[in-house]
Amino acid sequence: MRVFLGFDDTDTIDADRGTGKLSRWFGYELPEDVRLWAVVRQQLLVHEDIPYTSHNSSACVVMDAPDGYPSDRIIDRAVRHLQAHYLEGSDPGICMACEGDPGLSELMNFGISCTRRVVSQKDALQATSCGHIHLSGHGGTNDGIIGAAAAVGLTASGWAGRFIEFGRLREFPDPVTVSELEQKQIRVMSLEKNANQPSPEDRVMTHGWLRPRLIGGYPVVMVKHIQEGVWEIVSGRSHKKKSEE
């Protein structure tokens, strides 16, 4: 079964790490019979009424576990991980849900709301009140439960977010061929006006920033044509601190 674990608000403005990095680290601490599929960053609304560190983002760790696997084993390990790595002065929270949970539909709607308007802890608690969804705060104001819940809802929808971990995402060469990406289950999508598609042997220039988007439940790299046999990723890269992801 697929399991979604959201983290949020684990850092402070001068931190040497962000929620993205903390979430990626959890991939090294999974129980032996649980496998990491990916870590997905979610961008939430940036608004003057919302306290956030730098970008108001949260992250979701996506795992595959045996059917019927006790969720409390993952939750307990996640709480210990959070307590070991979050920074004093932050307001951390976690959320966990399993694929097929009857409460996921409401949580997906909540996640979309978090990208469009200001929401509250009460809204997050309401959105996770159905099914068997876990939501808990672990310090400060506990506002992290909002972003953690949104991260799970958006990621579970399959149509939002950016991969910050997927296999050996950070070890791909630059350039990389289309076939090398597709062999690792990363799809390549052309954004050209005439919808022409890259060939397997074509090269993709990543500029050292390979971060596929979550589209239809799959990691997808969007590219534009540069010259014969050469494409370039459309990354939308920001000037964020390297330590955050």
Side-chain angles (χ1 to χ4, degrees):
M1 68 178 179
R2 182 143 289 181
V3 182
F4 303 92
L5 173 68
F7 289 99
D8 189 34
D9 203 9
T10 62
D11 56 349
T12 57
I13 192 64
D14 297 319
D16 62 351
R17 57 184 181 270
T19 297
K21 183 173 284 189
L22 181 146
S23 300
R24 289 196 297 111
W25 287 347
F26 187 66
Y28 298 105
E29 300 183 16
L30 300 181
E32 185 175 337
D33 43 0
V34 175
R35 183 176 64 86
L36 177 70
W37 182 70
V39 181
V40 180
R41 176 194 185 274
Q42 296 293 349
Q43 178 60 52
L44 309 180
L45 177 68
V46 175
H47 190 279
E48 61 183 6
D49 292 335
I50 301 175
Y52 58 89
T53 305
S54 59
H55 294 84
N56 196 27
S57 64
S58 55
C60 184
V61 181
V62 186
M63 301 158 277
D64 290 316
D67 289 344
Y69 190 84
S71 60
D72 59 340
R73 294 184 186 176
I74 299 175
I75 294 169
D76 289 347
R77 192 164 294 211
V79 171
R80 292 198 301 271
H81 176 73
L82 187 61
Q83 292 172 339
H85 295 292
Y86 88 98
L87 295 175
E88 292 294 335
S90 60
D91 310 302
I94 62 172
C95 178
M96 197 184 89
C98 298
E99 189 175 39
D101 191 290
L104 264 183
S105 177
E106 182 63 28
L107 194 53
M108 292 177 191
N109 291 333
F110 173 77
I112 294 173
S113 295
C114 289
T115 69
R116 298 174 176 172
R117 62 180 179 86
V118 178
V119 300
S120 66
Q121 289 190 34
K122 181 179 178 181
D123 295 324
L125 292 166
Q126 178 62 38
T128 55
S129 61
C130 299
H132 301 88
I133 298 173
H134 172 87
L135 184 67
S136 57
H138 296 274
T141 66
N142 291 329
D143 266 353
I145 66 173
I146 299 172
V152 171
L154 289 168
T155 304
S157 77
W159 290 96
R162 182 177 77 213
F163 286 80
I164 57 176
E165 193 70 270
F166 184 78
R168 297 186 178 277
L169 186 66
R170 295 157 191 268
E171 298 180 10
F172 277 97
D174 179 21
V176 59
T177 65
V178 171
S179 62
E180 286 177 304
L181 291 169
E182 293 182 340
Q183 286 169 11
K184 298 299 183 180
Q185 286 74 56
I186 298 176
R187 302 186 178 189
V188 179
M189 175 188 294
S190 168
L191 295 184
E192 290 299 301
K193 179 178 67 175
N194 294 326
N196 49 313
Q197 296 299 311
S199 300
E201 65 275 12
D202 285 357
R203 293 175 297 155
V204 176
M205 310 296 292
T206 69
H207 305 297
W209 186 256
L210 182 59
R211 299 292 187 271
R213 302 299 177 93
L214 177 59
I215 300 177
Y218 296 94
V220 177
V221 173
M222 295 177 286
V223 298
K224 60 182 179 180
H225 191 243
I226 300 299
Q227 63 187 55
E228 184 66 27
V230 181
W231 301 72
E232 181 181 53
I233 62 169
V234 181
S235 66
R237 183 176 184 176
S238 65
H239 298 287
K240 60 164 52 191
K241 294 184 297 181
K242 187 176 181 180
S243 63
E244 293 175 357
E245 290 188 355

